[in-house]
């Protein structure tokens, strides 16, 4: 595909990615109104968030595997269609039960978009040219992640729209993406005999869901040390061990265990998990810090996140252009991990009196680090696996990053609740725990309704607790730095995934293993003797 054709197809991919990200973030500021209108409980509130995230995280590896077996374009359009159905069901929901079901459908579609967009990019764009396009995707990810809560807040506050438009707003983007992809994306269908590993798929999804349900509900619905924790973690571990056993013995595993023998895949997967814990776990509570500790409205809180968006946008775009021009990518991973760790450490110094100017600098530093690191981890892994395993490798990284984000959000949320309780108790004595809900299960306070002395205590408590979250998240970013230091830099390939797949099919089975594909490319020249494309 020419650059013009790639850009045209990418417009559809970017619309799809934006829709997937928006689905998880746009309801953040709208949920209190939604649950009130549908007469739901606090448990319903939790499940509306958790159900979409569970479905997305658990199905990413399945979509990735299907993309190695079936037509990627058709799968991408199916995932977009599922998202449209889920969004319409959510928007027209008259009860919490239907809303939760619709979020599961949305999550399955979003899982497909998350995995397949990057797989399709790798299929049509050589790794050497992928950097310049990957930067754009990083920017879309940043805008969707941080702008979602702002858009949701504006829709809820607009009387003639309302919360239902938080779900309807993604439908035009998804329909446009389906049409654009149909007209612009040209991928040949590679027909081969396939066997779907249904048992392995079931075990992976069930095991992951058990662990994610535990991390989502522990500390809120039940204590971390409880029989529910023992049951969920025990079930999850047993199911995943069984999944490993099955995956190692079937001809077409959902997650080919052989790809983990590739050092690049293993290290970038570990780094993605750690980045998910540090980035999602830390930044998801920034909006709450803006609203409670700094006393800002939901709309203003969304706007205050712009420095982080701009940092991520600029760094991902610039790093992508430099990588495409030079072919060198490891230095960007190292620099991104160092800067991300520094940004989290700086944010660990904030409190209720931190000025917006200083806060903007800290957020921009964090955004720059994330922009240099996150997307280029995928690039490094895609460059070092056989074309037949591009889908599996890409989805594994997305899967572990999402899982890290879920775990980080749940654990750090429990730390936040406990630290707020401790700070309130320190300021108010024994009544502090009662005022904050004891174990963090009470309602989030409405700052505007509190008397001035109490408001200062609450703002101070949330400021201290939020800073502690970033202090806890910083070591995870440092561990990600250690992981990328051990990644071996290999020249970026100059042929697309489809071209590599055609070449590998000519070579026969000998070139199909993960190690074989990686090692065969290790000494390949960065630039071919004759120009390509």
């Amino acid at each position: 595909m020419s650059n013009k054709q790639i850009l045209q197809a990418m417009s559809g991919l970017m619309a799809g990615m934006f829709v997937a990200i928006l689905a998880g973030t746009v309801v953040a500021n709208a949920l209190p109104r939604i649950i009130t209108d549908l007469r739901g409980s606090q448990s319903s509130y939790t499940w509306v968030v958790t159900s979409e995230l569970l479905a997305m995280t658990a199905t990413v590896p399945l979509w990735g595997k299907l993309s190695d077996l079936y037509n990627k374009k058709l799968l991408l359009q199916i995932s977009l269609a599922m998202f449209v159905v889920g969004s319409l069901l959510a928007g027209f929901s008259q009860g919490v039960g239907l809303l939760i079901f619709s979020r599961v459908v949305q999550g399955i579609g979003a899982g497909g978009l998350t995995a397949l967009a990057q797989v399709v990019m790798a299929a049509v764009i050589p790794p050497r040219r992928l950097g310049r396009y990957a930067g754009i995707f990083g920017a879309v990810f940043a805008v969707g992640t941080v702008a979602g809560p702002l858009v949701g807040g504006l829709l809820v506050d607009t009387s003639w729209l309302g919360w239902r438009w938080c779900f309807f707003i993604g439908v035009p983007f998804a329909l446009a993406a389906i049409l654009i992809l149909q007209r612009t994306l040209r991928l040949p269908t590679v027909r081969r005999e396939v066997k779907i590993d249904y048992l392995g798929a079931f075990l992976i999804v069930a095991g992951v869901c058990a662990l994610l349900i535990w991390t989502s509900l522990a500390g809120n619905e039940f204590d971390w040390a409880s029989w529910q924790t023992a049951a969920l973690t025990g079930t999850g571990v047993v199911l995943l061990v069984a999944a490993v056993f099955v995956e190692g013995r079937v001809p077409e595993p959902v997650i080919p265990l052989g790809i983990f023998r590739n050092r690049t895949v293993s290290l970038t997967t570990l780094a993605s998990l750690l980045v998910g814990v540090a980035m999602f776990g830390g930044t998801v509570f920034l909006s709450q810090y803006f609203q409670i500790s700094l006393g800002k409205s939901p709309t203003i809180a969304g706007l205050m996140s712009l420095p982080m968006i701009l940092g991520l946008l600029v760094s991902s775009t610039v790093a992508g252009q430099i990588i495409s021009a030079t072919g060198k990518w490891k230095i960007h991973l190292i620099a991104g991990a160092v800067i991300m760790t520094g940004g989290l450490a700086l944010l660990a110094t904030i409190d209720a009196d931190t000025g917006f100017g200083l806060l903007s600098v800290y957020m921009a530093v964090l955004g720059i680090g994330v922009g240099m690191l996150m997307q280029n981890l995928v690039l490094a892994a895609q460059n070092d696996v056989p074309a037949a395993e591009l889908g599996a490798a890409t989805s594994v990284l997305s899967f572990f990053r999402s899982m890290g984000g879920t775990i980080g959000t749940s654990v750090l949320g429990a730390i936040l609740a406990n630290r707020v309780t401790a700070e309130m108790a320190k300021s108010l004595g024994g009544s502090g725990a009662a005022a904050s809900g004891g174990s963090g299960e009470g309602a989030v306070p409405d700052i505007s309704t509190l008397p001035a002395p109490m408001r200062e205590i609450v703002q101070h408590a949330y400021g201290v607790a939020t800073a502690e979250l970033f202090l806890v998240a910083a070591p995870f970013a440092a561990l990600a730095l250690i992981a990328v230091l051990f990644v071996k830099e290999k020249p970026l390939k100059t042929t697309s995934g489809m071209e590599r797949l055609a070449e590998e099919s000519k070579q026969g089975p000998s070139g199909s293993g993960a190690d074989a594909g990686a090692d065969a490319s290790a000494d390949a020249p960065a630039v071919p003797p004759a120009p390509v494309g």
Side-chain angles (χ1 to χ4, degrees), residues 446-458:
D446 183 353
I447 292 296
S448 62
T449 63
L450 298 177
M454 188 64 184
R455 185 187 306 131
E456 291 181 7
I457 292 172
V458 171

Side-chain angles (χ1 to χ4, degrees), residues 99-462:
L99 179 62
I100 292 173
F101 172 76
S102 68
R103 293 288 284 171
V104 171
V105 178
Q106 270 191 317
I108 296 172
L113 294 168
T114 302
L116 295 168
Q118 296 182 86
V119 173
V120 169
M121 278 182 64
V124 300
I125 308 171
R128 180 63 186 266
R129 295 165 59 195
L130 193 58
R132 72 177 70 160
Y133 301 103
I136 301 174
F137 268 85
V140 171
F141 182 89
V143 172
T145 299
V146 185
L150 171 61
V151 173
L154 288 172
L155 290 172
V156 171
D157 290 338
T158 304
S159 58
W160 51 278
L161 289 174
W163 63 263
R164 295 184 185 277
W165 279 94
C166 291
F167 303 107
F168 293 148
I169 192 173
V171 173
F173 288 97
L175 293 175
I178 292 173
L179 295 175
I180 293 170
L181 290 170
Q182 182 62 35
R183 292 177 60 87
T184 62
L185 186 61
R186 295 176 179 84
L187 290 176
T189 301
V190 180
R191 299 191 180 280
R192 62 191 180 96
E193 186 178 349
V194 297
K195 295 180 180 178
I196 302 299
D197 175 23
Y198 294 106
L199 178 59
F202 168 77
L203 292 172
I204 290 171
V205 171
V208 169
C209 284
L211 294 179
L212 292 182
I213 289 171
W214 167 59
T215 58
S216 299
L217 301 184
N220 294 317
E221 300 296 317
F222 50 81
D223 293 333
W224 286 96
S226 63
W227 70 266
Q228 291 96 330
T229 289
L232 288 170
T233 55
T235 301
V237 169
V238 169
L239 288 171
L240 291 178
V241 169
V244 170
F245 179 82
V246 170
E247 293 294 273
R249 287 161 175 79
V250 295
E252 292 281 1
V254 176
I255 300 179
L257 300 181
I259 65 173
F260 292 109
R261 290 197 294 268
N262 183 313
R263 188 173 75 172
T264 301
V265 173
S266 296
L267 290 171
T268 52
T269 298
L270 175 61
S272 294
L273 174 69
L274 295 168
V275 168
V277 173
M279 186 191 73
F280 290 102
T283 58
V284 76
F285 297 103
L286 270 177
S287 179
Q288 191 178 57
Y289 165 76
F290 295 146
Q291 294 182 52
I292 297 179
S293 194
L294 302 186
K296 306 298 182 182
S297 68
T299 303
I300 298 299
L303 292 172
M304 289 178 72
S305 300
L306 285 176
M308 188 163 62
I309 295 181
L310 294 175
L312 200 156
L313 170 64
V314 172
S315 68
S316 62
T317 304
V318 172
Q321 295 289 342
I322 295 173
I323 289 172
S324 291
T326 64
K328 303 294 183 183
W329 49 266
K330 184 174 179 179
I331 184 62
H332 297 280
L333 292 182
I334 296 172
V338 170
I339 295 170
M340 179 179 174
T341 305
L344 290 168
L346 290 172
L347 285 166
T349 66
I350 63 176
D351 56 29
D353 300 318
T354 303
F356 180 62
L358 198 58
L359 194 59
S360 298
V361 173
Y362 295 169
M363 288 191 293
V365 171
L366 178 59
I368 290 170
V370 172
M372 296 178 71
L373 180 62
M374 188 169 62
Q375 194 65 32
N376 291 322
L377 288 170
V378 179
L379 173 65
Q382 289 176 336
N383 183 61
D384 205 23
V385 295
E389 294 179 357
L390 273 175
T394 304
S395 62
V396 162
L397 262 67
S398 299
F399 168 71
F400 277 96
R401 187 176 63 227
S402 296
M403 177 173 271
T406 307
I407 294 171
T409 300
S410 302
V411 174
L412 293 179
I415 294 174
L416 175 76
N418 290 330
R419 186 58 193 270
V420 166
T421 300
E423 288 296 317
M424 297 275 285
K426 190 186 301 181
S427 300
L428 298 174
S431 61
S436 63
S439 62
E441 296 176 359
V444 175
D446 183 353
I447 292 296
S448 62
T449 63
L450 298 177
M454 188 64 184
R455 185 187 306 131
E456 291 181 7
I457 292 172
V458 171
Q459 288 178 325
H460 171 74
Y462 273 88

